[in-house]
Amino acid sequence: MVAASVTFGQHAPAQRTILHLSDTHFLAGNAPLVGVYDTAANLEATLRRVERLGTQPDALVFTGDLTDLGEPDAYRALRAAVEPIAEALEAPLIWVAGNHDERGPMRQHLLDLDPTEEPITSVTDLGGLRIIALDSSVPGWHHGELDAGQLAWLAEILAEPAPLGTLLALHPPPLPCHLPVFDILELRDQPALAAVIAGTDVRGILAGHLHYSTSGTFAGVPVSVAAATCYTMDISRPAVEVNGMDAGQSFHLTHVYADTVTHSVVPVVEAPSGDFFSQQWVDRMAALSPHDRLEAFSRKR
């Protein structure tokens, strides 16, 4: 049988596939977030959607605000929810600290590390694609910051390029935001980060924090922001009136190609879809010559 990923066009299949999720905001005992949102149920729905993708990802990346208050029980519950899925997919988990996380409990109860206040960073090699997780959390505060020590560490790693390039993962995106509250909580001293990544093999930046999907560029590098699994922001309202809504949750499917990186929004929703395309359709088209395939599908009828 021909695989569903058979190539009919001019681009070769992606070299690596990443599932990018963000802002789970778990609370101990599954207390409702801000008295409203069932974060465990919403993550469960997201993970079921991940399973239905039928995709073999190379990693799952969670870009911060894993818990809302940094409670040990919340980290343990998050771990219990996500690790079985990652194990079934045979994909490594990459956890990123956000402004709502607490380094000590996160290190101990999510990562099995000593509960210190050291930044939670990591470097993961996915067969030549390098993912570097940065820790912009500031103990006791909600804004984001990368101190001189972490930037020096990053510069040392980036001094040697990776075969397929590098993706950075951090919580607050180095992008402008039209929502006043996020301006207050943004990543500080962004020029310092720009200076470190200039001229390196960094091909993309994965982030969260905003609770809605957006994208842009930073120092010439594409930035992709995944929406939250817990709740999203209704940005159709005036900026000063934007509030959360228990709808529109999604995550990103990131495909790394030789010459580009794409980020696709995957909605977490139960809704019927058409049945025109199928494995049988792919098999039938693959069996045709390129000319007949073009005739069968591309010509207007």
Side-chain angles (χ1 to χ4, degrees):
M1 176 176 287
V2 178
S5 60
V6 64
T7 301
F8 294 131
Q10 58 193 297
H11 297 282
Q15 296 173 314
R16 300 291 179 270
T17 300
I18 310 297
L19 298 185
H20 174 199
L21 307 94
S22 201
D23 291 84
T24 49
H25 282 269
F26 263 38
L27 284 161
N30 194 32
L33 183 62
V34 296
V36 176
Y37 307 108
D38 187 334
T39 60
N42 288 345
L43 178 60
E44 175 70 13
T46 301
L47 295 176
R48 297 289 78 78
R49 188 69 183 89
V50 165
E51 290 180 317
R52 293 197 304 275
L53 280 175
T55 297
Q56 180 63 55
D58 293 284
L60 278 70
V61 181
F62 285 75
T63 50
D65 280 359
L66 310 172
T67 68
D68 195 59
L69 299 174
E71 303 156 299
D73 284 350
Y75 285 115
R76 288 192 288 265
L78 178 61
R79 184 174 186 173
V82 175
E83 283 187 349
I85 304 299
E87 291 172 1
L89 293 172
E90 299 181 344
L93 275 166
I94 299 174
W95 301 106
V96 176
N99 57 287
H100 278 265
D101 291 302
E102 296 291 341
R103 288 176 175 174
M106 178 175 166
R107 289 173 67 90
Q108 180 177 5
H109 299 283
L110 189 65
L111 304 173
D112 292 330
L113 299 174
D114 292 335
T116 70
E117 290 300 313
E118 293 297 311
I120 300 171
T121 59
S122 66
V123 180
T124 304
D125 176 22
L126 302 175
L129 176 68
R130 180 169 56 192
I131 298 184
I132 301 176
L134 300 173
D135 185 351
S136 62
S137 66
V138 182
W141 297 87
H142 274 296
H143 66 272
E145 187 173 356
L146 299 171
D147 62 23
Q150 193 171 164
L151 290 174
W153 170 83
L154 176 62
E156 183 178 357
I157 295 172
L158 292 177
E160 182 176 350
L164 299 182
T166 296
L167 298 179
L168 302 182
L170 76 164
H171 184 59
L175 292 176
C177 177
H178 75 290
L179 305 182
V181 67
F182 287 113
D183 285 343
I184 299 170
L185 305 179
E186 68 185 4
L187 179 69
R188 296 187 179 179
D189 196 9
Q190 295 179 19
L193 175 61
V196 170
I197 66 176
T200 69
D201 71 341
V202 174
R203 303 180 61 191
I205 298 174
L206 309 181
H209 187 53
L210 301 183
H211 288 236
Y212 64 89
S213 297
T214 190
S215 61
T217 58
F218 172 72
V221 176
V223 180
S224 177
V225 182
T229 69
C230 60
Y231 68 85
T232 63
M233 305 297 277
D234 182 2
I235 60 172
S236 67
R237 304 178 66 179
V240 295
E241 297 178 7
V242 170
N243 281 282
M245 60 180 181
D246 198 2
Q249 286 89 346
S250 64
F251 59 94
H252 284 185
L253 191 58
T254 297
H255 288 106
V256 178
Y257 297 87
D259 57 354
T260 192
V261 180
T262 65
H263 307 272
S264 305
V265 176
V266 181
V268 179
V269 63
E270 294 289 345
S273 63
D275 59 2
F276 182 86
F277 297 108
S278 66
Q279 183 65 59
Q280 290 72 27
W281 184 92
V282 172
D283 294 344
R284 190 165 59 251
M285 293 294 286
L288 299 176
S289 68
H291 177 270
D292 289 344
R293 188 182 305 143
L294 188 65
E295 284 286 324
F297 189 63
S298 297
R299 185 184 295 275
K300 291 182 179 179
R301 300 299 181 187

